[in-house]
Amino acid sequence: GNRIPSKGAYKKFLAKKDKEAKKAAHKAKEATDKEGTAAESGAAAGSAETDASPPGPVTYVKEAPQYLFGDLVMVQSNQETGRTFVHVSKLSKDLDQQEVWVRARVHNTRAKGNNCFVVLRQAGFTVQGALFKSDTIPKEMVKFAGGLSRETVIDVQAKVVKQEVRSCTQSDVELSVLRLYVVSRAEVNLPLQIADAGRSEAEIEESVKLVEEGKMEGAFVRVEQKTR
């Protein structure tokens, strides 16, 4: 039949089982603690992003507001901002590493993931602004910039950085955006954009060929007196 273990062997067996139970309980506690820490970190991160977004219109007269971005309250003639704005045409590598304020229109935006590029236009001059998610630039600010409609008027505080940007008139600099505020929003789909009016003859001719081939998506044509 089955052998009956000695009293000493039975005590060792119980001690081993007790040790294994304590070890399993310790591992379970560690896993629970890690889950709790991760949840707290996620909640903190979510709260930080929520806190980064302004709850309503931002007032920026002389004192810098808490929020780095947002829609400004209605601009009125009795408001003195105390800020000096630099014309886009004056931006060059001579201002490298200097902080400037620029008021201009959004020419276009390109956003992907945690970065966004905004081309600003003032009186025909253009410069590229860049935002990258970091400790100082929240993701909500990057998303805000990427959602701006063309022709929207914005105020931007930025650091001028030497950078080759061939697509802009100010081709030797880029603006590293620090603050961004909307002064006046434009309708999302304006009937005629500056980009439409500035298309070259070659682009128009190529588009006409596409239309003749029945490819209407994304095509555009010249509007002349006889077609109005």
Side-chain angles (χ1 to χ4, degrees):
N2 296 330
R3 291 182 59 187
I4 299 175
S6 66
K7 191 174 183 179
Y10 185 64
K11 284 184 176 180
K12 287 182 180 180
F13 172 76
L14 291 178
K16 182 180 179 182
K17 287 293 185 183
D18 184 56
K19 184 176 180 181
E20 290 176 350
K22 288 181 178 179
K23 187 175 181 181
H26 181 69
K27 285 185 176 180
K29 185 176 183 302
E30 284 186 336
T32 302
D33 290 345
K34 285 182 179 180
E35 289 179 0
T37 302
E40 289 176 3
S41 298
S47 175
E49 287 199 356
T50 301
D51 292 344
S53 301
V58 178
T59 300
Y60 194 164
V61 181
K62 291 186 178 180
E63 296 294 327
Q66 171 189 350
Y67 302 102
L68 301 176
F69 65 100
D71 289 79
L72 292 177
V73 297
M74 183 182 294
V75 177
Q76 300 181 39
S77 59
N78 62 350
Q79 295 175 346
E80 293 185 10
T81 66
R83 302 190 292 277
T84 301
F85 292 92
V86 177
H87 198 281
V88 170
S89 64
K90 302 299 182 182
L91 297 173
S92 70
K93 60 185 179 181
D94 294 336
L95 299 176
D96 184 41
Q97 299 305 308
Q98 293 187 35
E99 290 188 9
V100 297
W101 276 98
V102 173
R103 175 171 289 180
R105 291 185 179 273
V106 175
H107 190 64
N108 62 55
T109 62
R110 303 191 318 276
K112 185 176 181 181
N114 293 325
N115 59 70
C116 178
F117 295 94
V118 181
V119 175
L120 307 177
R121 189 188 74 251
Q122 185 178 19
F125 297 92
T126 56
V127 66
Q128 178 170 278
L131 298 92
F132 301 95
K133 181 180 178 295
S134 63
D135 292 338
T136 55
I137 302 297
K139 185 176 180 63
E140 290 300 309
M141 182 174 176
V142 177
K143 291 170 62 178
F144 179 83
L148 295 173
S149 56
R150 292 183 177 184
E151 304 307 317
T152 291
V153 179
I154 60 175
D155 283 356
V156 172
Q157 182 187 26
K159 179 181 287 187
V160 180
V161 181
K162 285 196 294 186
Q163 180 70 42
E164 184 179 8
V165 184
R166 295 183 180 180
S167 60
C168 295
T169 61
Q170 310 312 106
S171 58
D172 57 357
V173 293
E174 182 176 76
L175 298 181
S176 179
V177 178
L178 305 173
R179 290 177 177 269
L180 188 156
Y181 303 103
V182 170
V183 177
S184 178
R185 282 187 178 273
E187 292 293 333
V188 177
N189 294 313
L190 291 174
L192 181 65
Q193 302 280 352
I194 293 295
D196 296 325
R199 299 193 190 282
S200 66
E201 289 296 319
E203 288 179 297
I204 295 174
E205 292 301 326
E206 182 63 28
S207 183
V208 169
K209 291 179 182 178
L210 293 176
V211 172
E212 291 173 350
E213 295 172 3
K215 301 175 182 178
M216 300 298 295
E217 185 176 352
F220 46 86
V221 296
R222 181 189 290 108
V223 179
E224 298 178 326
Q225 187 66 38
K226 61 183 179 181
T227 62
R228 293 177 183 172

